Structures are given as structure tokens and as C-alpha cells.
Amino acid sequence: TGAAASSAASKLSGVLRGTEDGIGDSEMDWFNSKLADDVTLVSGMYTLLCGEFYPGDGIYRHFGTRLNLTAAELLEKAPLVHFIAGWKPR
């Protein structure tokens, strides 16, 4: 599974403005509690995780191996690469 898309923009506006209370331990806790009914999952190939390109990462070469593509070929075909933050909002 890759990223998720939601049509619930009005629910996100408070978070983007910094006025939403109750984020919880992470932004994903809030996301899951508020938007679980409004989400459509997007295939991982359309939102490749950056770990696809990092040796030692659990997802390293996941799609490259399955599609028999080099990292350069896969990156050229990827519509989006999803980089994960090393921090959590408070």
C-alpha cells in the first residue's frame, strides 16, 4: 500500500492552520481518527517510499526487483517518491 488520498479538505484545514486540537502521539493518530472513512489508498508504485533506493531499508528494491528495473529506470517511471520525515509534530 502506498499513500492515501482524501476528499476531506475541510477536515485538514485546521491542521494546516495549526488550530486543530488533539493530534495525539503523531499526525497519523489524528489522520486515522478523523479521516478513516474518507480515504482511498493509492498503490505503492505510484508513491514509492524513499527506502526503495536505500540499501538496508526494509523496502529496498521492492518494486525494482518485481518489475526487473534498475533504480534509475524505476525512478524515471515513478510519478512520486514519498520521503518520510525523521521527526514528529508536537
Side-chain angles (χ1 to χ4, degrees), residues 1-89:
T1 308
S6 173
S7 61
S10 63
K11 292 180 183 179
L12 294 172
S13 65
V15 172
L16 297 174
R17 287 192 315 263
T19 59
E20 178 69 33
D21 290 330
I23 294 290
D25 290 334
S26 75
E27 75 281 3
M28 288 308 298
D29 290 332
W30 180 90
F31 187 91
N32 290 333
S33 70
K34 302 286 186 179
L35 302 177
D37 294 333
D38 297 316
V39 170
T40 301
L41 296 176
V42 179
S43 167
M45 178 56 196
Y46 294 102
T47 58
L48 288 176
L49 294 174
C50 60
E52 174 79 28
F53 305 100
Y54 288 104
D57 192 282
I59 195 75
Y60 178 65
R61 299 249 331 118
H62 176 81
F63 285 101
T65 300
R66 282 166 177 69
L67 299 174
N68 197 29
L69 297 171
T70 67
E73 291 168 331
L74 186 61
L75 188 57
E76 186 175 314
K77 293 180 181 301
L80 179 73
V81 177
H82 178 205
F83 287 84
I84 300 170
W87 58 273
K88 298 288 182 192

